[in-house]
Amino acid sequence: MEKFFAYQKDSREPCKYGRKCFQTNKEHTDKYKHPPTKDDIKVDDKKMTRKRDLKGKLKSSNKTNGESSNSDHSNRPNEQSHNSSEINDMEVPERPEQTITTSNSEPNSITSSSNQQNSTEYAVPSMRQHSQQQQQLLLTNSTLEDCSVDDGIVPSTPTLFTPRRLDGETVSSPHVPSSNQIQRFTFVGESQPSQTPDLNDREQPDDPPVQNETDFDCLKKKISELFLIKEMPKEFYDLWSFCKRLCSTHPEDALLSVGLKLVGPYDVLAGHMNGFNANDVEKTVLHWRYYYDPPEFQTILASTTSEFHIGYYRDVPLEFPVYIVSNDSSKNCTIQRLGKSLFQVLRHHLQRLDSKIANTLQKKLYAYQKQKVTEILLGRESLPVSKTFHKAGIVVPYDRKTDIGYRPLSESEYNLKKILKSYHEASESKKMEVMDKLQPIISYANIASDECDFGTGFELGIDFFCDGNPDLHRICKQLLVTAYSLLRRPQFATIIKAHLNNRRKGPNMSIL
């Protein structure tokens, strides 16, 4: 018990691992305290022993000869309650490591070692930590749901005119090919579960390997909460295991010989993002996000010599990726679809390098893929309603029978690019004239959103984003935040707001 009271009086912060901590370095032990084991706090008092008579009834050792079995039975509850209270007084808080990482934990205090009769002295700190977690979760949910809107969307603004393009062609809704996999659009339905980050992040060592299932689950949750996505696919971790074979100390640098580096969520596995938590999502969602990367694009491999990068493409934030894609932001905004297998995509990239090191690495990748990799991406279940400027396409709920969910823009892609180019090249005095041509297109997209064709504003916002003109960032943000909110993708709304507020160019997009 002396070690337990010494632990309670210790002013150091409690370690998040608790008794399971495996770190023994002096820097860690000087900063954090560790609770004593159960063997250190065993009570020396012997437990009350009871014997049973021939009839199976309990007999107390202090029972007199004149007492009846009924008195023994009536006194038994008092004895049991006495024993339970005696054991509870000796208990240690089960999980002192469940304090929130972002909050400063308060040291447990005990007035004196003689006051051991009330077990609530040890329960109060855990109750306070629970209330802090409740408040922190509410704050986190508010940041992710700040763009949410009323689910009951009723068309409020009628279309007063039939939009026509400059070439005189009348705009109509598209013909989307029929497919059994296309989801029917509904006005009011069950919304997708919001991404609620788990704030009970355990402290990670400098370069931690994935040691057991508990640590692995903790890393997966941390990736989800820092990047506002569903957990990564299995092949993502298979590539990390392969790189650990090549370089056990720094797997993220295992592909440097071929000019590639594991980045983005791989930095969580490498232990480089231990200092970030759910309150830093406005920074972490920008980690290795290039200039032309929409919220659907997440970089996992980056070139060390250029702005070429490979990543996953998601249509919905809380679903698995549909494709592996690439982009070179120094050239254009085009997103190229590479395939559904990360190992196969990487092998094809190494084939194009045509070097001895790349060929050797390609053979190792193929051998590991054939032996270990069992799952690949499933691809898209629904057809895209428009390609947009980046050519990767957008997917929205569209009902082909009622023709609700999407309508084309009032201008063709060619004419829209021509107008945006003239706006970019126009002088300050001439920009207002060009804006007069853009305003009807924007108004038509807003009317389409009022009439539940959410894909129209989504397409126009992505086109403005791919144009890359900073003068259009305000309009782009308004269109995309509204579209993502109406499509119930608030995580993407948070990402696009953070990106447009801090849109950077260059090859190094790390926030570390």
Side-chain angles (χ1 to χ4, degrees):
M1 290 303 298
E2 295 180 358
K3 293 184 178 181
F4 171 68
F5 293 122
Y7 169 79
Q8 295 290 337
K9 294 179 181 180
D10 195 344
S11 61
R12 293 176 296 174
E13 295 182 12
C15 178
K16 308 304 178 294
Y17 274 117
R19 300 191 187 99
K20 299 180 181 180
C21 181
F22 56 87
Q23 300 190 60
T24 59
N25 57 80
K26 187 175 183 300
E27 181 180 358
H28 178 79
T29 56
D30 290 343
K31 184 176 181 181
Y32 300 97
K33 63 179 181 179
H34 301 77
T37 61
K38 292 183 178 180
D39 296 335
D40 296 333
I41 59 174
K42 283 185 177 179
V43 183
D44 295 332
D45 297 337
K46 296 181 178 180
K47 295 183 178 180
M48 181 180 295
T49 59
R50 298 180 181 182
K51 299 181 180 180
R52 297 182 179 269
D53 55 13
L54 297 177
K55 295 182 179 182
K57 297 182 179 181
L58 294 175
K59 298 192 299 181
S60 177
S61 59
N62 58 354
K63 178 181 176 183
T64 60
N65 295 329
E67 291 178 334
S68 62
S69 61
N70 293 333
S71 62
D72 182 33
H73 179 73
S74 61
N75 292 334
R76 189 182 308 159
N78 295 332
E79 294 175 357
Q80 293 177 355
S81 61
H82 174 74
N83 292 337
S84 62
S85 63
E86 181 180 4
I87 295 174
N88 289 336
D89 289 341
M90 297 297 105
E91 288 182 351
V92 183
E94 285 295 327
R95 295 183 181 273
E97 69 274 14
Q98 289 185 350
T99 56
I100 300 176
T101 307
T102 58
S103 61
N104 295 327
S105 58
E106 300 180 3
N108 299 333
S109 61
I110 299 180
T111 55
S112 63
S113 60
S114 61
N115 297 333
Q116 304 175 15
Q117 298 179 359
N118 193 353
S119 62
T120 58
E121 293 180 354
Y122 312 119
V124 170
S126 62
M127 292 173 62
R128 185 186 302 115
Q129 294 163 6
H130 180 70
S131 64
Q132 292 177 354
Q133 292 177 1
Q134 296 279 354
Q135 297 175 0
Q136 190 68 26
L137 286 174
L138 290 176
L139 292 175
T140 305
N141 287 336
S142 63
T143 59
L144 295 180
E145 302 293 341
D146 57 352
C147 299
S148 61
V149 295
D150 189 4
D151 290 337
I153 302 170
V154 180
S156 59
T157 307
T159 304
L160 301 179
F161 62 94
T162 302
R164 297 180 180 273
R165 297 177 178 169
L166 296 181
D167 53 9
E169 181 182 352
T170 303
V171 177
S172 61
S173 297
H175 173 72
V176 180
S178 60
S179 175
N180 296 330
Q181 297 178 338
I182 296 180
Q183 299 180 355
R184 183 178 178 84
F185 179 81
T186 55
F187 288 92
V188 180
E190 294 182 359
S191 60
Q192 296 178 354
S194 60
Q195 184 73 12
T196 305
D198 184 9
L199 299 180
N200 296 328
D201 293 328
R202 295 187 178 182
E203 184 183 34
Q204 301 291 336
D206 293 337
D207 289 318
V210 181
Q211 297 183 348
N212 51 50
E213 186 176 356
T214 303
D215 294 338
F216 183 64
D217 292 339
C218 182
L219 292 173
K220 291 197 298 184
K221 291 179 180 179
K222 195 173 184 66
I223 291 175
S224 298
E225 73 175 24
L226 293 185
F227 295 94
L228 302 182
I229 55 168
K230 184 181 175 69
E231 63 183 50
M232 304 298 289
K234 183 179 180 299
E235 62 169 7
F236 171 83
Y237 301 100
D238 290 336
L239 181 60
W240 179 257
S241 300
F242 171 78
C243 292
K244 284 180 66 177
R245 291 189 175 187
L246 300 180
C247 182
S248 58
T249 56
H250 294 283
E252 66 275 15
D253 297 332
L255 304 180
L256 289 180
S257 59
V258 291
L260 293 176
K261 181 178 178 65
L262 302 182
V263 297
Y266 279 120
D267 287 326
V268 176
L269 301 183
H272 300 325
M273 302 188 71
N274 292 338
F276 296 92
N277 52 54
N279 294 328
D280 302 320
V281 291
E282 292 187 357
K283 295 180 181 178
T284 55
V285 295
L286 300 179
H287 187 48
W288 288 100
R289 182 165 296 279
Y290 289 79
Y291 192 80
Y292 290 111
D293 290 351
E296 291 81 5
F297 195 115
Q298 183 184 24
T299 304
I300 58 174
L301 288 166
S303 172
T304 57
T305 58
S306 66
E307 297 183 26
F308 173 80
H309 53 288
I310 299 173
Y312 286 121
Y313 191 91
R314 285 178 172 84
D315 289 323
V316 180
L318 299 185
E319 294 182 2
F320 282 110
V322 292
Y323 293 117
I324 298 158
V325 296
S326 67
N327 170 256
D328 190 341
S329 58
S330 63
K331 296 180 180 179
N332 50 48
C333 64
T334 302
I335 297 176
Q336 183 179 2
R337 191 175 72 180
L338 301 180
K340 295 186 288 186
S341 171
L342 180 59
F343 280 79
Q344 184 177 2
V345 167
L346 191 55
R347 287 194 297 110
H348 288 171
H349 177 75
L350 295 177
Q351 285 180 354
R352 291 192 293 268
L353 296 181
D354 193 19
S355 65
K356 184 176 181 181
I357 298 178
N359 292 335
T360 303
L361 185 58
Q362 177 193 349
K363 294 179 181 179
K364 293 181 179 179
L365 269 172
Y366 179 74
Y368 188 88
Q369 177 186 1
K370 189 175 181 180
Q371 181 182 5
K372 298 290 185 180
V373 181
T374 57
E375 298 180 9
I376 61 174
L377 303 182
L378 300 178
R380 275 185 171 138
E381 296 182 357
S382 301
L383 298 175
V385 296
S386 175
K387 291 183 178 181
T388 68
F389 286 0
H390 59 45
K391 305 303 180 184
I394 57 174
V395 173
V396 298
Y398 177 77
D399 192 337
R400 185 170 177 268
K401 293 182 179 180
T402 60
D403 204 22
I404 292 178
Y406 172 79
R407 70 182 69 168
L409 297 176
S410 59
E411 285 297 333
S412 64
E413 180 178 324
Y414 174 80
N415 287 337
L416 181 59
K417 285 184 176 180
K418 187 176 180 181
I419 296 173
L420 292 175
K421 183 179 180 181
S422 61
Y423 181 82
H424 184 75
E425 296 174 352
S427 60
E428 293 297 329
S429 59
K430 297 291 184 179
K431 282 187 177 181
M432 291 303 298
E433 297 180 5
V434 183
M435 181 57 67
D436 291 339
K437 298 180 181 180
L438 287 175
Q439 192 60 48
I441 306 174
I442 300 171
S443 300
Y444 177 70
N446 290 331
I447 292 174
S449 297
D450 286 343
E451 297 179 352
C452 299
D453 290 333
F454 307 142
T456 307
F458 184 19
E459 178 185 5
L460 184 60
I462 289 294
D463 289 344
F464 280 0
F465 176 81
C466 293
D467 181 68
N469 191 346
D471 294 338
L472 299 176
H473 280 180
R474 181 183 60 84
I475 302 175
C476 176
K477 184 189 299 184
Q478 181 267 329
L479 289 169
L480 288 180
V481 169
T482 301
Y484 285 133
S485 300
L486 294 174
L487 292 169
R488 294 171 183 169
R489 303 171 186 176
Q491 295 81 6
F492 284 167
T494 302
I495 293 174
I496 195 62
K497 285 194 296 184
H499 193 187
L500 292 177
N501 290 337
N502 187 16
R503 199 172 182 184
R504 302 169 296 163
K505 290 184 177 181
N508 184 10
M509 292 291 105
S510 175
I511 65 169
L512 302 178

